[in-house]
Amino acid sequence: MYTKKDLFFLEKALEQAKIADSCDEIPIGAVLVKEDFIISSSFNQTRSRNFKLAHAEIIVIENAKDIYGKGFYDDSVLYVTLEPCLMCISAVSLCGISKIFYGLSCEKFGSIDFFCNENYKKKNYRMPICVKIIEFESQIKFLMKDFFYKKRT
């Protein structure tokens, strides 16, 4: 389950997604939180960096290392607007992030179901708890649809 505090931090991730949209990036935002403080926030930058791996989650983890000074974030929480892909959820797991809250499921690349599969759990000792927050689902869906509609027209 989630709290008002979780809604607040997902809203901060949504603000990052809106920044991405204004920069002509796929509107995905992420925020990494430890002890109720944002230690890193960013948005998808695959277009501006011309690098397909520049997902919001990866950038947040990378920036947190520079800011926080280490590469393991035990007891930290990731808030991301779109369900993480397999690459991102694996990175989250490797860094010891304990929870992921996301706003919109991703049928094409989302990996929560795969990652939470019992066979995968047996192979990985650090499983983040994954929670979907539905309060912002329609806003995030509109942002994503509007972005791709503009690209197609």
Side-chain angles (χ1 to χ4, degrees):
M1 209 56 210
Y2 50 90
T3 65
K4 285 185 178 185
K5 174 181 66 175
D6 298 319
L7 292 171
F8 171 80
F9 288 122
L10 188 61
E11 189 167 353
K12 293 298 179 187
L14 182 56
E15 288 173 13
Q16 290 294 312
K18 290 175 181 177
I19 293 169
D21 188 45
S22 71
C23 296
D24 197 35
E25 291 284 356
I26 298 171
I28 301 169
V31 174
L32 187 61
V33 175
K34 184 165 175 86
E35 297 172 1
D36 295 337
F37 291 101
I38 296 173
I39 58 173
S40 180
S41 62
S42 194
F43 53 87
N44 208 54
Q45 296 175 34
T46 57
R47 294 166 161 266
S48 60
R49 291 188 182 189
N50 195 25
F51 187 56
K52 295 293 182 189
L53 305 183
H55 291 196
E57 301 93 316
I58 301 298
I59 296 168
V60 160
I61 290 168
E62 184 179 38
N63 290 347
K65 184 182 126 326
D66 296 337
I67 296 165
Y68 195 60
K70 60 182 186 175
F72 294 98
Y73 312 106
D74 297 337
D75 302 321
S76 59
V77 180
L78 177 70
Y79 295 86
V80 61
T81 54
L82 187 68
E83 178 184 1
C85 69
L86 188 56
M87 173 188 70
C88 291
I89 203 165
S90 295
V92 165
S93 176
L94 288 170
C95 291
I97 295 169
S98 59
K99 286 186 181 179
I100 300 171
F101 289 92
Y102 65 99
L104 181 64
S105 297
C106 179
E107 293 177 19
K108 191 171 184 179
F109 296 112
S111 63
I112 298 291
D113 288 340
F114 172 79
F115 194 75
C116 293
N117 177 301
E118 289 303 316
N119 290 330
Y120 192 81
K121 284 181 183 179
K122 292 175 189 173
K123 296 175 185 174
N124 192 331
Y125 69 98
R126 287 190 180 212
M127 293 297 301
I129 296 167
C130 302
V131 179
K132 182 176 180 181
I133 296 179
I134 59 171
E135 271 76 356
F136 297 104
E137 186 175 30
S138 60
Q139 286 181 57
I140 298 166
K141 188 182 286 187
F142 174 79
L143 195 60
M144 296 291 287
K145 282 186 173 187
D146 187 55
F147 174 82
F148 287 109
Y149 175 77
K150 288 182 218 170
K151 290 294 160 203
R152 286 196 252 352
T153 57

